Amino acid sequence: MNRFLNKGTIATLQQFRMASNLLINDSKYAFLKELGLKENNAGVFHGKWAANGQTVQSFAPATNSPIANVQNGNVQDYEIAITEARKAYNDWCEVPAPRRGEIVRQIGDKLRTQLQNLGKLVSLEMGKISAEGVGEVQEYVDICDYATGLSRSLEGKIFPSERPGHALLEQWNPLGVVGVISAFNFPCAVYGWNNALALVTGNACIWKPAPSTPLTAIAVTKLVEEVLVANNVNPALCSLVCGEGDVGQALVKDKRVNLVSFTGSSEIGKIVGQQVQARFGKLLLELGGNNAIIVNEDADLNMVVPATVFAAVGTAGQRCTTTRRLIIHEKVYDQVVERLKKAYAQFESRIGCPLDSNTIIGPLHNQQAVGKYKASIAEAIASGGKVEYGGKVLERDGNFVLPTIVTGLKHDSPVVLRETFAPILYVLKFSTLDEAIAINNEVDQGLSSSLFTTNIQNVFKWMGPKGSDCGIVNVNIPTSGAEIGGAFGGEKRPAVVVNLDPTRGDNI
């Protein structure tokens, strides 16, 4: 057939085939167009939507079907974006903080108008269930509310001076441009946390989202753009460059980016940290977690079981705060394991499409994640572990696996000490609380942890200097979850947070 067609005709037919397979053209996903998305989307915004990089497709993890096309940015697009963001900053930094807060409030309101649609997009593109997708967008809304209040309470200090007739004033000024590199598992909220606080403290933002979730970033940026334009603010204040590693590298190494906020793996975070530090830039890292729940002998097991299931299985194990180790006192070990197995079995029929209201567990994000799931289970078995439940990839479209419980491993087995971004729970046994705390603390990561106990002395020990070495220390609740009004961060490998005082202008 091709001999009868010229190259232009062949290209047109190929484009038609691509378009006909896109989910955006299915009426089931009408919310995509309601968000302003199209078959072909520019992945770069710097006051104008224009991109010059390679065209890629965003895929739905539940079916591995293409959603829509995105033309990525390249390093030249990044150069334009950072130049325009710096120009926007020069005006924005002089806007009174309460006025900046008013505009951030309007961003929150704009997000509210598309809360359900944007939540569905997060679910479709990332793979988390609908309730979690909507909840993630709500976190962006909530941080806008928080930032609005903050805009009227940014403060400095007055110190007594040793010199007669003098006073020492402490005043915090904006940094400049904040670069945000976000991860696939929270494609909206991570940017929102950074964006709202960076804006209210007088900074501009340039966003490089995960390569596999560009549509969420584009949809969010379109909503923010509407608010900025309506207020006669240079919309390049919130610039966007979708792309691959070359764009990320350009951002990380750029002295014009005053602070880099990176969310991702510990391995890449280490590289980012070194590169930003090499240019004396400011840095915020939110990386991995190998989080544990300790179940003491006096724990309320009716609280333990649902909390563990929620924390280990939620988001298909793809949260930085997911529970990956369950450390159980020997007196209640067998009872807890049996109850967990029954609880896991109840959810098997509710693994499915994340947009289905009956679904509790969605897919892993991509086939690479499925491969790591399989490899970790194989390593666990080879190391002497026993699969109590799960351990299988489901034979269906998409990237679905069974949540898995593994027992019989030593607490210091390499597979236990290593974070696998999948719903695999390693169950360990202990005799004394001191032993359990030592097991909790022996991993490289120190993000979140939890102790289930009814003994108040245990609580204070757990929270004290000889207790958990994690940044987040919970009691009788899961390891997952956080609140926008409190600190979120870890110790050791998972998180490095620089300059966290919200009055500094560099708190993002």
Side-chain angles (χ1 to χ4, degrees):
M1 175 182 175
N2 288 354
R3 74 184 72 175
F4 301 106
L5 301 172
N6 61 38
K7 291 183 179 179
T9 305
I10 294 172
T12 300
L13 287 175
Q14 289 173 339
Q15 290 168 358
F16 175 77
R17 283 196 291 268
M18 288 177 65
S20 66
N21 292 329
L22 297 175
L23 296 184
I24 195 168
N25 292 319
D26 186 335
S27 59
K28 179 181 178 181
Y29 306 104
F31 61 86
L32 295 171
K33 292 183 178 179
E34 292 173 9
L35 286 166
L37 298 174
K38 300 174 290 186
E39 291 178 7
N40 301 297
N41 302 275
V44 176
F45 179 74
H46 43 63
K48 299 178 181 178
W49 289 96
N52 296 289
Q54 182 181 3
T55 296
V56 298
Q57 291 185 321
S58 176
F59 293 89
T63 59
N64 288 325
S65 301
I67 304 170
N69 301 319
V70 175
Q71 186 173 11
N72 273 339
N74 55 26
V75 174
Q76 289 70 35
D77 290 316
Y78 168 78
E79 282 295 324
I80 298 171
I82 184 61
T83 299
E84 295 302 317
R86 293 296 311 186
K87 291 178 182 177
Y89 163 75
N90 286 334
D91 294 328
W92 181 250
C93 66
E94 293 185 326
V95 173
R99 175 59 184 160
R100 299 195 298 252
E102 165 59 18
I103 293 173
V104 171
R105 184 194 65 79
Q106 292 178 34
I107 291 174
D109 283 349
K110 178 62 71 173
L111 291 165
R112 284 183 175 94
T113 67
Q114 293 287 349
L115 182 67
Q116 296 299 321
N117 283 343
L118 199 52
K120 290 177 184 177
L121 172 57
V122 170
S123 296
L124 180 66
E125 190 174 41
M126 184 272 152
K128 62 179 61 177
I129 64 174
S130 184
E132 291 182 346
V134 172
E136 180 178 339
V137 181
Q138 184 63 50
E139 290 192 35
Y140 193 169
V141 173
D142 291 343
I143 199 70
C144 285
D145 289 346
Y146 179 84
T148 300
L150 189 66
S151 71
R152 291 185 177 273
S153 58
L154 298 171
E155 60 184 18
K157 295 180 180 179
I158 300 177
F159 299 96
S161 173
E162 63 186 26
R163 293 169 293 179
H166 288 71
L168 299 177
L169 276 67
E170 180 182 81
Q171 175 177 303
W172 300 106
N173 291 314
L175 277 174
V177 174
V178 172
V180 182
I181 303 177
S182 59
F184 77 86
N185 61 331
F186 280 85
C188 175
V190 165
Y191 175 69
W193 297 331
N194 286 271
N195 174 251
L197 295 180
L199 288 182
V200 84
T201 48
N203 302 285
C205 285
I206 185 166
W207 184 12
K208 193 276 179 190
S212 58
T213 54
L215 294 175
T216 299
I218 293 169
V220 167
T221 300
K222 285 181 178 293
L223 295 174
V224 174
E225 176 195 7
E226 288 185 33
V227 173
L228 297 178
V229 170
N231 285 275
N232 296 315
V233 174
N234 184 345
L237 185 70
C238 296
S239 292
L240 169 72
V241 185
C242 299
E244 300 295 335
D246 57 340
V247 174
Q249 278 285 286
L251 187 156
V252 167
K253 294 181 177 181
D254 194 344
K255 291 183 178 181
R256 293 169 294 181
V257 179
N258 303 85
L259 186 147
V260 174
S261 172
F262 172 86
T263 302
S265 70
S266 297
E267 291 72 24
I268 301 301
K270 183 177 182 180
I271 296 171
V272 170
Q274 292 171 340
Q275 292 178 341
V276 175
Q277 184 60 45
R279 62 177 178 83
F280 297 101
K282 293 184 182 294
L283 182 68
L284 192 157
L285 302 179
E286 204 290 290
L287 309 177
N290 195 345
N291 315 294
I293 288 177
I294 296 175
V295 182
N296 205 41
E297 61 181 310
D298 62 340
D300 182 345
L301 301 189
N302 291 325
M303 296 174 63
V304 168
V305 174
T308 301
V309 173
F310 173 80
V313 170
T315 324
Q318 298 171 110
R319 287 173 175 255
C320 57
T321 53
T322 291
T323 296
R324 310 199 183 280
R325 298 175 297 145
L326 183 63
I327 308 166
I328 309 174
H329 193 280
E330 58 188 4
K331 290 184 179 179
V332 295
Y333 179 90
D334 292 338
Q335 184 180 356
V336 173
V337 170
E338 287 304 311
R339 291 181 64 170
L340 274 177
K341 288 163 62 176
K342 291 179 181 178
Y344 270 53
Q346 294 175 358
F347 290 115
E348 187 168 340
S349 63
R350 301 182 70 180
I351 299 173
C353 173
L355 291 173
D356 187 337
S357 61
N358 185 59
T359 298
I360 294 295
I361 305 169
L364 291 178
H365 188 58
N366 52 34
Q367 281 294 306
Q368 290 85 347
V370 174
K372 291 179 180 179
Y373 166 88
K374 292 166 64 177
S376 293
I377 291 172
E379 182 180 349
I381 294 172
S383 301
K386 177 186 177 183
V387 176
E388 298 284 353
Y389 180 87
K392 297 178 181 178
V393 177
L394 296 180
E395 297 296 327
R396 62 171 78 169
D397 291 339
N399 310 314
F400 293 95
V401 301
L402 282 179
T404 300
I405 300 172
V406 178
T407 62
L409 289 171
K410 295 180 179 178
H411 61 84
D412 57 355
S413 298
V415 71
V416 175
L417 298 180
R418 184 177 62 249
E419 177 190 27
T420 300
F421 224 55
I424 303 174
L425 181 66
Y426 301 111
V427 185
L428 311 169
K429 187 184 295 186
F430 74 92
S431 300
T432 67
L433 183 57
D434 285 340
E435 179 189 1
I437 292 173
I439 294 172
N440 175 80
N441 294 348
E442 71 181 344
V443 298
D444 288 337
Q445 306 88 352
L447 180 54
S448 186
S449 58
S450 186
L451 169 67
F452 280 78
T453 181
T454 55
N455 186 319
I456 192 65
Q457 289 182 315
N458 292 338
V459 171
F460 284 108
K461 183 173 189 177
W462 175 239
M463 295 170 59
K466 293 187 176 181
S468 172
D469 66 356
C470 296
I472 302 172
V473 182
N474 299 293
V475 177
N476 292 333
I477 59 172
T479 58
S480 56
E483 296 187 29
I484 58 99
F488 180 87
E491 304 293 340
K492 301 187 292 187
R493 282 178 67 91
V496 178
V497 183
V498 180
N499 295 331
L500 267 189
D501 186 338
T503 66
R504 292 180 62 102
D506 53 358
N507 169 37
I508 52 119

